[in-house]
Amino acid sequence: MKILNIFLSIVFLAIVSSCSKIDNYAGPNAGITGTVIDNTTNQGIQSEQPNGFQIRLIEKGYSNVIPLDFWGKADGSFKNTQLFADTYKVLPIQGPFLTPDTLVVNVNGLTTVKFTVTPFMSVKASDPQVISKNVVVKYTLSKPAVISDNIVRCLTMAAKVPAVSNSVNDYNVSHDLSGMSYQDISNQQFSDTLKNLPSGTFYVRVGARTSNGQGKYNYSQVFPVTIP
């Protein structure tokens, strides 16, 4: 019995000792930042958040690596500071654009990466006009020649929050464009009026989508307006 007690004591001490050891592995020591640029405007791609686009990272040198995906921002920028220094395959995915070629990036410290992409379509809106309680927005729609999908819908929207989008808005005016030819759409200047908005600050934006399989919208920039 005495020998058994000594043995159990040794096992107990070993367990306690192993549990008390401090994890001394180094934490993430690198990051990646950058912008996905719309090649029709040379500005960051306008999308929505959080469902606009993602950045995919695949660490090289390992088999069966699970991709690391994280969301980009509505202005086309992205940032992830919780990475380990290493070489990664990097590409933007699931956005309102044609997926570009993959880049191989040596991530060391905070590394900057830029992608230039072809959007499914372009939405160009002028500064909204506030007329009493109404907001008038004029805009045009177009798409690059390499995009075969038709433009099928557009909408002008306003929200109390800057993250205004097709799924986040308080007021909107929409149009079904599926019966129009691209020539008629591209030659037209659209004008929408958001009516009877209450007093306060709103964020206004125009969005439109093609018949792309993801159902992704392309957007204009966001305009803040004040209703008297």
Side-chain angles (χ1 to χ4, degrees):
M1 177 65 73
K2 186 175 181 180
I3 294 175
L4 177 61
N5 289 337
I6 293 173
F7 174 76
L8 292 176
S9 297
I10 293 173
V11 172
F12 175 76
L13 290 173
I15 293 173
V16 171
S17 176
S18 65
C19 291
S20 64
K21 288 182 179 179
I22 298 174
D23 181 1
N24 58 359
Y25 286 104
N29 57 354
I32 191 168
T33 186
T35 308
V36 177
I37 297 171
D38 180 333
N39 68 5
T40 67
T41 64
N42 292 320
Q43 303 293 325
I45 188 84
Q46 295 290 320
S47 65
E48 57 188 89
Q49 196 173 11
N51 299 313
F53 70 95
Q54 290 183 297
I55 297 295
R56 170 161 290 180
L57 302 172
I58 302 174
E59 195 168 5
K60 293 195 68 180
Y62 301 92
S63 60
N64 301 319
V65 176
I66 298 175
L68 171 63
D69 299 341
F70 65 95
W71 290 107
K73 297 182 180 180
D75 63 357
S77 64
F78 58 87
K79 188 174 186 178
N80 186 333
T81 59
Q82 297 299 307
L83 301 177
F84 292 97
D86 206 339
T87 301
Y88 294 83
K89 294 180 180 179
V90 187
L91 75 161
I93 61 172
Q94 298 182 7
F97 47 76
L98 299 179
T99 301
D101 293 337
T102 301
L103 296 181
V104 176
V105 180
N106 182 22
V107 177
N108 186 14
L110 186 59
T111 303
T112 300
V113 180
K114 291 186 178 181
F115 292 92
T116 299
V117 299
T118 300
F120 292 151
M121 61 171 297
S122 296
V123 183
K124 296 182 180 180
S126 57
D127 289 336
Q129 291 181 290
V130 178
I131 304 174
S132 185
K133 296 292 185 179
N134 303 329
V135 177
V136 179
V137 184
K138 296 180 179 180
Y139 58 95
T140 59
L141 308 174
S142 61
K143 62 174 185 171
V146 296
I147 302 297
S148 59
D149 294 327
N150 298 320
I151 299 175
V152 296
R153 187 170 186 258
C154 65
L155 73 162
T156 299
M157 63 211 97
K160 279 288 190 179
V161 294
V164 56
S165 70
N166 169 61
S167 56
V168 180
N169 64 78
D170 301 302
Y171 302 87
N172 71 72
V173 176
S174 65
H175 305 281
D176 180 355
L177 305 177
S178 58
M180 293 181 63
S181 69
Y182 175 64
Q183 182 176 359
D184 289 341
I185 292 172
S186 60
N187 289 336
Q188 180 173 336
Q189 183 182 60
F190 294 84
S191 180
D192 291 340
T193 302
L194 299 164
K195 298 180 179 180
N196 300 318
L197 273 63
S199 299
T201 298
F202 284 88
Y203 298 89
V204 176
R205 199 181 202 186
V206 179
R209 70 174 176 87
T210 64
S211 54
N212 67 89
Q214 302 176 64
K216 291 287 187 176
Y217 279 76
N218 290 92
Y219 291 91
S220 73
Q221 66 186 95
V222 177
F223 301 93
V225 299
T226 301
I227 307 300

